Amino acid sequence: MDEPVLYRVDGAVATVTLNRPEVLNALDEALLTALRAAVARAGEDDTVRAVVITGAGRAFSAGADLGVANAGSAEVDLGAKLRSRYHPLILAMRDLPKPIVSAVNGVAAGAGMSIALAGDVVLAAASAQFLQAFTKIGLIPDAGSTYFLPRYVGEMRARALAILAEKILASEAERMGLVWKVLPDEALLPYAQQLATQLAARPTRAYALAKRALNASLGNDLATQLELEAELQRAAGHTEDFREGVAAFRAKRAPVFKGR
Ligand code: LHQ
């Protein structure tokens, strides 16, 4: 049987591919478990300094697997499923001390869209589409969508996306700020991997600390956030990469960052 998630390392970049193309990479238990494990593996491997997440076939992910026997049954406790399978994954992505590039190669629906949005830089293929599919089947946006959407696109758009559940084209997603950049379909993965390779050669400890500051930002008042910046900058100021960055600047040479 094919692995539900492929994990491949090239140089300092791990590429994680959702791999159930026959069902548009719908999220079942096996895929979610493997995805959580892949994120953990990328975190534990010191040689990996940036991660790309993408989908096999024509979709990124169609969200929760609605084909499993008990889908739609009132017997299933969706809250428990979210807590056990989705929340640890979304939190692990946000807490990963390495940048994650989401390469949305096709439709990202429901919790599949939430996973895409949990990346640090979201790229999309021109033919990709985004769909808050949840309310279409009588559910609410989950796996972080109600957190990410207002923060990325503002209240009005977040509410309209969640309530209308209309498919949004990649160009529209880019215009709204859901996506950093849209690439021609065939250029998406090479671009994402090239970007991740560049990120992996930069001061990745600083990215880890910047992620922590940004994760906390919108929940903090200014004074608290300034204090957090000071604490994290103190840590950044003690890295080898900071010393190298300044030394290289002064010597007018290219810096060599080690992620330490
Ligand atoms: C699928 C799926 C799918 C299984 C396409 N499952 N097979 C919920 C519950 C539990 C806990 C946690 O949280 C959640 C949150 C959620 O994620 S709820 C939202 C679940 N997702 C959806 O409601 C989206 C359902 N899919 C669609 O609306 C369409 O498939 C989209 C718009 C994604 C793509 O449309 P098309 O490009 O027209 O493709 P298709 O519909 O023909 O799908 C292709 C195949 O993939 C098809 O199988 P078949 O055997 O007929 O070729 C679909 O049945 C299968 N598939 N989504 N979520």
Side-chain angles (χ1 to χ4, degrees):
M1 210 180 77
D2 287 341
E3 296 293 327
V5 169
L6 306 177
Y7 183 90
R8 179 180 144 173
V9 177
D10 299 292
V13 174
T15 300
V16 175
T17 306
L18 313 188
N19 190 39
R20 300 182 72 212
E22 65 288 355
V23 286
L24 308 187
N25 304 317
L27 309 163
D28 65 357
E29 296 275 322
L31 188 150
L32 288 164
T33 304
L35 185 53
R36 173 76 187 85
V39 173
R41 190 170 164 191
E44 284 154 15
D45 183 346
D46 289 340
T47 67
V48 167
R49 290 170 62 190
V51 177
V52 174
I53 296 188
T54 193
R58 70 178 175 91
F60 180 79
S61 170
D65 191 336
L66 303 178
V68 292
N70 60 4
S73 156
E75 303 297 305
V76 180
D77 179 344
L78 295 184
K81 203 178 253 299
L82 284 166
R83 290 185 191 101
S84 65
R85 295 281 176 233
Y86 289 83
H87 298 182
L89 168 65
I90 299 297
L91 291 171
M93 289 176 69
R94 280 283 146 142
D95 292 344
L96 191 76
K98 306 175 184 190
I100 298 179
V101 177
S102 295
V104 182
N105 53 303
V107 71
M113 179 166 167
S114 305
I115 291 172
L117 297 182
D120 298 298
V121 179
V122 183
L123 305 175
S127 68
Q129 296 183 329
F130 294 83
L131 174 61
Q132 285 284 298
F134 309 90
T135 57
K136 282 191 154 190
I137 55 166
L139 294 180
I140 72 153
D142 65 15
S145 269
T146 63
Y147 182 92
F148 299 129
L149 286 178
R151 285 168 168 76
Y152 290 179
V153 300
E155 274 282 321
M156 187 72 261
R157 285 167 172 157
R159 282 169 193 265
L161 286 167
I163 288 166
L164 302 179
E166 289 174 359
K167 269 191 201 156
I168 300 294
L169 301 177
S171 53
E172 178 74 351
E174 185 184 33
R175 202 178 57 72
M176 282 186 196
L178 270 179
V179 156
W180 172 243
K181 222 182 256 290
V182 176
L183 286 307
D185 288 6
E186 63 289 353
L188 174 72
L189 195 56
Y191 183 91
Q193 282 171 329
Q194 188 191 29
L195 178 66
T197 302
Q198 286 167 4
L199 295 178
R202 293 185 194 164
T204 35
R205 277 289 297 148
Y207 291 140
L209 297 165
K211 278 182 74 159
R212 278 178 57 191
L214 289 165
N215 287 347
S217 169
L218 290 171
N220 280 341
D221 61 24
L222 177 60
T224 309
Q225 188 66 14
L226 287 171
E227 184 47 39
L228 179 62
E229 285 179 359
E231 185 191 314
L232 297 172
Q233 195 70 296
R234 181 176 188 277
H238 288 125
T239 60
E240 281 179 42
D241 283 346
F242 173 55
R243 286 200 294 283
E244 167 64 5
V246 174
F249 175 79
R250 288 189 177 171
K252 300 190 187 303
R253 63 170 173 80
V256 180
F257 293 120
K258 304 246 174 67
R260 294 197 292 263

